Amino acid sequence: MTGILMIVQIILVIAITVLVLLQRSESMGLGAYSSSNNSVFGAGGPMNFLTKATMTLGLLFVLNTLTLVYLYNKQANTSALDNVKVKQVVPQNTPVPQAPVK
């Protein structure tokens, strides 16, 4: 379970990074290299769509991080010795103590 969530975490990081780089800034970022028109994203332009997508992925990132922390903490509180069954062995040569005679 934690392996799948870790893969999702990496995908979310890459997606957030790409979305942040695509957003318009003073230097235009990677958005300067795209040949897309603002009308592709609707009347609000790419800022509105990219901002909402970034916020959504950011929320998913935080929730996934909290889930991973919970699962790792739960796993850290267990020990491998919790599953071991202890069997008491009495050696064959040991005399059995007897009650004193009065």
Side-chain angles (χ1 to χ4, degrees), residues 9-32:
Q9 189 83 348
I10 293 169
I11 292 171
L12 285 172
V13 167
I14 293 170
I16 290 173
T17 304
V18 169
L19 280 177
V20 167
L21 289 176
L22 285 175
Q23 290 182 15
R24 185 176 302 197
S25 65
E26 292 180 22
S27 64
M28 282 294 292
L30 289 179

Side-chain angles (χ1 to χ4, degrees), residues 63-76:
L63 292 175
N64 193 34
T65 302
L66 291 175
T67 305
L68 279 170
V69 167
Y70 173 75
L71 291 175
Y72 278 120
N73 191 23
K74 185 177 169 184
Q75 183 181 6

Side-chain angles (χ1 to χ4, degrees), residues 19 22-24 41 45-55:
L19 280 177
L22 285 175
Q23 290 182 15
R24 185 176 302 197
F41 295 104
M47 291 298 290
N48 196 13
F49 171 75
L50 292 176
T51 303
K52 287 181 181 178
T54 304
M55 290 295 292

